[in-house]
């Protein structure tokens, strides 16, 4: 699959995954919010949301290389968790993630994959948490956290892939999770849903659409949460909190 992750694998690392974090916490977002889960966070992303809450997987990717067997062994060590969240960055960039998901499935884990919806791979996934990126995510020069907007054109070009989105909603149990700040973002969500329904060969239900407030800190969520909750009620969509931010602010491994 010809998608660049901006992460270079060592010559002897075929089959390994770039792992930024591997930890045990509560799922903070979406329909499984509050469920104890092991998080396997890969590094590398094909997009650059300016507000990315996992900055060290995208803008400045950091990681160790781990084989699938070693990752599974680390997951098994957390004996209170039956759920595993494979996240990033963009985890579906990496072909070995398919092997990881097969191994987790064979051991009876419920797997959630958190993705931006631009890549599809054939893998056993119990819940695909798709977060299509709205125009509010584009790292324009005034928002770029590291430069002068060098990523803006590429991000804007690649952030929505209707063909891939239509495949994902057909292939997997899913939720569509949108980062929202105001009414104009919801207008964009509804326009995207209209376009998606025109090309999808399965129904795209409002009950699977979740609005999530933008914010990686408690202070920022205090500015956005109430407004987004009101928008969810006004438009008949689900609201999802960012439980991990409410509990632990922007601490790592949460």
């Amino acid at each position: 699959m010809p998608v660049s992750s901006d992460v270079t694998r060592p010559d002897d690392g075929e089959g390994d995954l770039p792992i930024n974090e591997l930890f045990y916490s509560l799922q903070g977002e979406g329909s499984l919010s509050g469920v104890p889960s092991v998080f396997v966070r890969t590094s590398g992303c094909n997009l650059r949301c300016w507000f990315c809450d996992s900055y060290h997987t995208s803008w400045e990717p950091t990681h160790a290389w781990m084989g699938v067997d070693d990752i599974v062994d680390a997951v098994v060590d957390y004996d209170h968790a039956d759920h595993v969240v494979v996240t990033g960055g963009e985890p579906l960039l990496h072909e070995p993630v398919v092997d990881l998901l097969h191994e987790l499935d064979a051991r009876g884990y419920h797997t959630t994959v958190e993705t931006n919806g631009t890549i599809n791979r054939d893998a056993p996934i119990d819940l695909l948490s798709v977060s299509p990126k709205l125009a509010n995510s584009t790292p324009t020069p005034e928002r770029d956290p590291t430069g002068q907007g060098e990523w803006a054109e590429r991000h804007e070009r690649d952030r929505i892939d209707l063909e891939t989105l239509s495949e994902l909603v057909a292939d997997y149990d899913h939720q569509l999770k949108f980062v929202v700040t105001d009414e104009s973002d919801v207008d964009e969500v509804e326009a995207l849903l209209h376009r998606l329904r025109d090309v999808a060969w399965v129904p795209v239900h409002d009950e699977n659409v979740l609005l999530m407030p933008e914010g990686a800190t408690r202070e920022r969520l205090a500015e956005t949460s109430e407004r987004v909750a009101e928008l969810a009620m006004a438009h008949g969509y689900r609201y999802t909190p960012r439980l991990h931010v409410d509990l632990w602010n922007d601490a790592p491994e949460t």
Side-chain angles (χ1 to χ4, degrees), residues 74-112:
V75 169
V76 170
D77 283 344
Y78 295 104
D79 55 6
H80 293 297
D82 297 321
H83 287 66
V84 179
V85 180
V86 181
T87 185
E90 174 47 62
L92 295 181
L93 279 170
H94 310 293
E95 291 184 17
V97 81
V98 175
D99 295 330
L100 173 63
L101 290 163
H102 276 288
E103 292 296 328
L104 294 170
D105 180 65
R107 286 163 175 77
Y109 286 100
H110 179 285
T111 56
T112 297

Side-chain angles (χ1 to χ4, degrees), residues 11 47 69 136 142 151 162 171 180 194 206 221:
D11 292 339
L47 300 179
D69 289 344
N136 64 16
E142 62 273 17
W151 262 87
L162 276 179
D171 290 349
V180 168
H194 180 76
D206 281 357
L221 284 184

Side-chain angles (χ1 to χ4, degrees), residues 140-171:
T140 55
E142 62 273 17
R143 288 174 163 176
D144 189 324
T146 65
Q148 301 298 318
E150 295 90 342
W151 262 87
E153 182 178 352
R154 176 177 167 184
H155 178 96
E156 185 64 25
R157 181 194 68 213
D158 295 342
R159 63 183 175 83
I160 298 294
D161 183 331
L162 276 179
E163 181 179 354
T164 299
L165 276 176
S166 66
E167 294 172 355
L168 293 173
V169 299
D171 290 349

Side-chain angles (χ1 to χ4, degrees), residues 12-35:
D12 60 352
E14 186 175 355
D16 291 354
L17 282 164
I19 301 300
N20 174 264
E21 295 180 307
L22 199 159
F23 60 95
Y24 177 59
S25 186
L26 300 177
Q27 171 60 280
E29 303 169 356
S31 59
L32 294 176
S33 179
V35 174

Side-chain angles (χ1 to χ4, degrees), residues 193-204:
L193 290 173
H194 180 76
R195 292 167 59 206
L196 179 58
R197 285 166 174 149
D198 277 347
V199 299
W201 55 93
V202 297
V204 178

